[in-house]
DNA sequence: CTCACTTTTTCCACTCACAGGACAAAGGGG
DNA sequence: CCCCTTTGTCCTGTGAGTGGAAAAAGTGAG
C-alpha cells in the first residue's frame, strides 16, 4: 500500500494534527474553540488537511444546541511503529495516529549482538505485526536504544552497554528498511515522552523520569520538551557516585549508582545472598531457575522475604540519595519512577520517597509528587510513536 | 527627566533592539543581513523605532564599496540599573542600553537586616550614581537576591539565608521607588546571564554557572534561557549531600556541600586552623584582623601556606564531586566557576577539574571546558541589566 | 573630471494570510 | 410550525510582507 507521506504545510495545520492526535476525533467547531483562528481560516486549513488525506471526515458530532457539526479525525489507516530496544529485550508495537497501541510484541534479545542482528529481529517482529492485519505499512517509526544518541542524525554515540553500535546509522538504515521516516532517541527519553503523552506526566511541564532497568537513566523534560544535553548524554545518572569508595563499576570508577542498584546489580546481590543461604526463598528460586533476576527478587519480596526486602530498600535509599541531589538541582514538578524493576513497586518507592523528602529542601519537595510510571512496559513504545508523530506533525 | 517607556510593538522590533544591544551601533544594511526581512519591511520597522526614540541615528557607516549607509544605535540616554544583593555586600551599577557599565559601587551590607533597610541603602547608592551625572533617571532595573524567587511576581520565597524577605514584594516595591520597570531574580541566575552576555559563555546554549560565595548556587541555562524550576529553586545545590554523615548544616541535614565548602565554611575552617596553630600565616592574619574570611585564605594560599592550600583543595574536591554528578545528569557544554571565592583561583579550579574529569563519563566531559568566570564582581550587575533589557526589549 | 559599477534607500504594485460580517444551512424546543 | 441557536460558507477589507524598479550616494579606473 502506498503510505501517506504528506506533511502539514504550516504551523496551523501542525497544531490541528496534534490536537486531533491528543484529543481524538473532534468537530470543526470544537477545534475552533482551541486554536484561536477565525472560522474561515480554520475551514480553509481543515479542507487542505482533508485533501492531504491526513485527516478524514468522521460523521456528525453531537449537537451543542444548534446545527450539528461534522467531525473529523486523523486518518484511521495511519500507522506508527514504536520500537523500544532494551538491554535484554525488545518491544515493538503498532499504533494508530492517535498513538493507541493496536498490537505489541516483546521478545528477549541481547543488544550486544549488535545492530545488524537486532534490527533483523525488529524487522521480523514488525513484519509479524503487519502480517496479523494490524497495518498495511508504516507511516513512521520511533526507535529507542539504551544509550546516548546524537539526536539530529539518529546515531548512537559511545554507548557503554552496547559496543558495536557506536556510530551505526540507525536512523538512516531503518528508514531504508522500513521505507518510512524514522527518529531515534535514548530509551529513557522515550519513556518520559510516553508518560507525558498518556501517563502520569500529562499536565507537568518540568519533570524527571527515572528508569531503573538493567542500568539506570533519567529522562529530563524542560518546558514540555525533552532535554538531551550537549552531546546527547544528559540524564546518564547511572554513573553518579552514590557511595564514596563503593563497589567497582564497569565504567572504571567506584561507587556508581548503577554498581549498587540496578537490574543487574540486584540480580547479582540476590544470587550472592542465595548462595550464602541468607534467604531460603531466594535460594530455592536460584535452584529452580539456575539464575536470579530482578523479577525473582520482586517475587521474593512479595512473599515477604526479608533479605529481598532489604535489598530493595537499600537500593531505593541509594537511588533516593541521587534523586535528592537532582531534585535540589533541577526543582522538577514531578518525579516518575519506571523501568523493569517497577515490579518492586511500593517498597522501592517508599524508600526513594523517604530519602528524597529527608534530603532535599522543603521548597523543592513541598509539592513534589514521586510516583510510579503508569504505563509500564508500554511507556517506551508509546513514547517512540510520540517521537515520530511529533516529527511528522510539524511543518515540513 | 521623562524616561522613555516605549516598548517594541512586535517581534521584529524586539529582535532589532536586541541586535543593537548585543552588537552596538549598526547600519541598516548590516541589520538587514542579520534579520531575514525585506529591505522595505526593515526600513518601516526601523523608522517606527526611531519614532519611539528607543533608537537614534548615529552618523554614517563605513562604506562597503557603494553608497554609505546611515548608522543607528540604541538611544545613548537610556540607562539601566543593575543591583546584585549578596549575603554580605551589595553591588549597584549603571549601564547604557548596550549594557556597558558606566558606574559601579560596592558596599558591605548584611541581607539579614531585611528588605526595608537593604533597599534604603540600594536607593541611596542609586541616587549617588545618578548624582554623579551618569544618569538622569533609570529606564529599568534588574535586581538579584541571594535566594529563590517566584520569578513572574518578583518575590523571594522561603530564602534560608535571608529571613524577613519571604514574601516581600521586591519587584512591586522597587518599581514604585525607582519609577521604572523592575525584574527580580536569583543572584546566581543573573551571574549566569552576565557571563552569557559579556563573559565566557557567549557562544554556549547549555551551561552551568556555579557561584561560590557565602553559600553555593548554580545557574542553569538551557537553550540560551535561564531555567528556574517549578518553584524557582532550581540550582540550589548548596544542600546536596557531599559527605555522607558529614558536618551538620543549618538546613538540618548533615554533609551538605555548603557545610563543607563555601565562603562561610572556609572562614570557619581557617579560623579553626589558626587557633590550633596549624598555620602561622593564618594565625598572624587572625591576630591582625580579629576574624578570617575567604579572602585571607586566598592570600595565605598565594603566599604558599600549605594549610590554606589544603583547605582550598579539599573544598574544590568536594565541589568537584557534586559538579561531576551534575555534569553526568545535565551534560552541559560549559561549566563556569565564579563568585566571591574566585580569588582562590587556579588551585580551586584545578581541584574541581580533577574531580569532575575523574568522576564523569568521557562522553560528557570529553569536550567540556571548566573555567573561571571572566567578569568577576560585575557578572551579577551585567546580568541584572540584561534581565531587565530582555524584558523591555520584548513585544509588549 | 567623467564614466561605469556598487551599495543603499525609497517607492510602489502585488500577493497572501487572516479577520469578521452577512447569510445560508441545519438542528432544538415550545 | 415558528423562533432561536449553532454551524458552515462566502465575500470583502485590511494590513503584513515581498520583490522589482529606480533614485541617491558612493568608489575607483582611466
Amino acid at each position: 500500500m502506498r503510505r501517506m507521506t504528506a506533511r502539514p504545510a504550516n504551523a496551523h495545520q501542525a497544531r490541528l494534527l496534534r490536537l486531533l492526535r491528543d484529543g481524538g476525533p473532534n468537530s470543526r467547531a470544537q477545534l475552533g474553540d482551541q486554536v484561536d483562528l477565525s472560522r474561515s481560516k480554520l475551514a480553509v486549513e481543515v479542507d487542505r488537511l482533508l485533501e492531504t488525506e491526513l485527516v478524514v471526515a468522521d460523521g456528525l458530532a453531537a449537537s451543542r444546541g444548534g446545527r450539528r457539526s461534522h467531525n473529523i479525525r486523523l486518518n484511521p489507516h495511519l500507522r506508527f511503529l514504536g520500537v523500544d530496544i532494551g538491554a535484554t529485550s525488545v518491544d515493538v508495537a503498532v499504533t494508530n495516529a492517535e498513538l493507541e497501541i493496536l498490537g505489541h510484541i516483546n521478545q528477549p534479545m541481547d543488544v550486544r549482538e549488535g545492530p545488524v542482528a537486532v534490527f533483523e529481529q525488529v524487522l521480523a517482529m514488525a513484519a509479524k505485526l503487519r502480517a496479523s492485519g494490524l497495518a498495511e505499512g508504516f507511516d513512521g517509526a520511533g526507535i529507542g536504544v539504551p544509550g546516548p544518541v546524537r539526536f539530529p542524525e539518529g546515531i548512537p554515540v559511545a554507548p557503554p552497554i552496547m559496543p558495536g553500535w557506536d556510530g551505526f546509522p540507525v536512523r538512516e538504515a531503518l528508514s531504508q528498511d522500513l521505507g518510512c521516516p524514522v527518529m531515534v532517541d535514548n530509551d529513557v527519553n522515550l519513556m518520559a515522552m510516553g508518560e507525558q503523552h498518556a501517563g502520569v506526566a500529562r499536565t507537568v511541564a518540568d519533570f524527571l523520569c527515572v528508569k531503573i532497568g538493567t542500568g539506570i537513566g533519567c529522562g529530563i523534560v524542560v518546558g514540555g520538551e525533552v532535554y538531551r544535553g550537549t552531546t546527547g548524554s544528559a540524564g546518564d545518572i547511572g554513573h553518579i557516585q552514590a557511595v564514596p569508595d563503593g563497589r567497582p563499576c564497569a565504567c572504571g570508577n567506584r561507587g556508581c549508582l548503577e554498581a549498587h542498584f540496578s537490574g543487574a546489580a540486584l540480580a547479582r546481590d540476590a544470587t550472592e545472598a542465595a548462595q550464602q543461604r541468607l534467604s531460603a526463598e531466594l535460594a530455592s528460586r536460584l535452584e529452580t531457575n539456575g539464575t536470579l533476576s530482578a523479577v525473582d527478587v520482586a517475587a521474593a519480596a512479595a512473599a515477604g522475604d526479608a533479605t529481598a526486602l532489604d535489598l530493595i530498600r537499600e537500593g531505593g535509599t541509594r537511588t533516593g540519595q541521587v534523586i535528592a541531589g537532582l531534585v535540589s538541582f533541577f526543582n522538577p514538578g514531578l518525579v516518575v519512577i519506571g523501568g523493569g524493576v517497577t515490579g518492586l513497586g511500593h517498597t522501592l518507592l517508599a524508600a526513594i520517597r523517604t530519602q528524597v523528602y529527608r534530603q532535599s529542601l522543603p521548597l523543592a519537595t513541598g509539592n513534589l509528587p514521586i510516583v510510579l510510571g503508569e504505563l509500564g512496559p508500554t511507556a517506551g513504545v508509546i513514547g517512540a510513536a510520540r517521537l515520530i508523530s511529533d516529527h511528522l506533525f510539524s511543518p515540513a
Side-chain angles (χ1 to χ4, degrees), chain A:
Chain A
M1 179 200 177
R2 210 185 75 254
R3 304 311 305 171
M4 330 186 165
T5 50
R7 291 278 292 276
N10 59 44
H12 297 308
Q13 292 184 17
R15 179 86 200 284
L16 291 171
L17 289 174
R18 290 180 190 210
L19 282 173
L20 289 171
R21 177 192 67 186
D22 301 341
N26 235 316
S27 72
R28 286 163 142 92
Q30 280 174 307
L31 288 173
D33 295 343
Q34 299 173 67
V35 294
D36 196 40
L37 280 177
S38 64
R39 276 178 309 181
S40 20
K41 178 63 181 164
L42 178 67
V44 170
E45 295 299 354
V46 168
D47 285 346
R48 288 187 193 154
L49 284 176
L50 286 168
E51 267 173 43
T52 66
E53 292 187 40
L54 280 169
V55 310
V56 298
D58 189 42
L60 290 171
S63 167
R64 293 201 289 183
R67 171 175 174 176
R68 291 174 67 192
S69 184
H70 292 262
N71 266 346
I72 57 173
R73 60 176 300 185
L74 289 169
N75 190 318
H77 295 108
L78 285 168
R79 290 291 178 273
F80 294 136
L81 187 70
V83 178
D84 186 1
I85 297 172
T88 59
S89 74
V90 60
D91 284 89
V92 177
V94 179
T95 77
N96 59 14
E98 279 136 20
L99 311 192
E100 292 163 341
I101 293 187
L102 306 179
H104 184 179
I105 321 182
N106 174 297
Q107 279 185 10
M109 186 227 44
D110 188 341
V111 261
R112 287 171 299 182
E113 288 179 25
V116 177
V118 168
F119 287 132
E120 206 170 298
Q121 185 173 343
V122 166
L123 290 173
M125 291 165 81
K128 191 165 149 196
L129 287 166
R130 200 162 48 199
S132 67
L134 294 172
E136 302 178 29
F138 300 109
D139 301 279
I143 319 286
V145 297
V149 170
R150 212 156 66 218
F151 184 70
E153 299 93 345
I155 297 180
V157 276
I161 68 164
M162 34 197 280
W165 288 72
D166 192 5
F168 186 86
V170 174
R171 182 176 179 183
E172 171 143 357
L174 276 184
S175 183
Q176 286 273 326
D177 288 339
L178 290 167
C180 66
V182 170
M183 294 290 281
V184 184
D185 202 347
N186 185 314
D187 62 339
V188 186
N189 292 340
L190 294 191
M191 175 180 155
M193 293 181 79
E195 291 290 347
Q196 183 186 32
H197 181 81
V200 285
R202 264 177 298 239
T203 58
V204 193
D206 306 310
F207 69 93
L208 298 180
C209 192
V210 178
K211 181 174 181 180
I212 309 172
T214 303
I216 291 195
C218 176
I220 307 170
V221 175
V222 175
E225 298 276 311
V226 170
Y227 171 76
R228 299 186 173 84
T230 302
T231 56
S233 78
D236 203 346
I237 64 172
H239 300 280
I240 291 181
Q241 193 180 58
V243 182
D245 293 316
R247 293 190 192 160
C249 175
C251 74
N253 282 313
R254 304 184 75 89
C256 295
L257 174 58
E258 221 170 271
H260 286 265
F261 185 63
S262 64
L266 199 57
R268 201 191 44 219
D269 288 350
T271 308
E272 210 169 285
Q275 285 163 347
Q276 294 181 3
R277 296 280 153 193
L278 295 175
S279 154
E281 181 78 31
L282 288 173
S284 91
R285 288 183 168 267
L286 177 58
E287 246 171 67
T288 320
N289 305 349
T291 63
L292 286 178
S293 77
V295 178
D296 296 300
V297 181
D305 182 79
T307 307
L309 285 169
D310 277 351
L311 285 177
I312 296 171
R313 281 202 208 99
E314 192 184 322
T317 304
R318 301 273 182 234
T319 312
Q321 275 170 14
V322 171
I323 295 180
L326 303 184
V327 165
S328 294
F329 172 74
F330 185 71
N331 186 21
L334 171 70
V335 175
V336 182
I337 311 286
V341 299
T342 354
L344 307 178
H346 285 78
T347 309
L348 176 67
L349 189 61
I352 292 178
R353 279 181 175 154
T354 304
Q355 198 60 26
V356 173
Y357 291 140
R358 178 188 302 164
Q359 266 189 34
S360 295
L361 293 181
L363 181 56
T365 55
N367 201 5
L368 174 67
I370 304 179
V371 298
L372 292 178
E374 199 170 274
L375 304 177
T378 63
V381 289
I382 292 178
R386 163 77 185 247
L387 176 70
I388 188 63
S389 76
D390 268 354
H391 174 71
L392 294 176
F393 294 169
S394 66

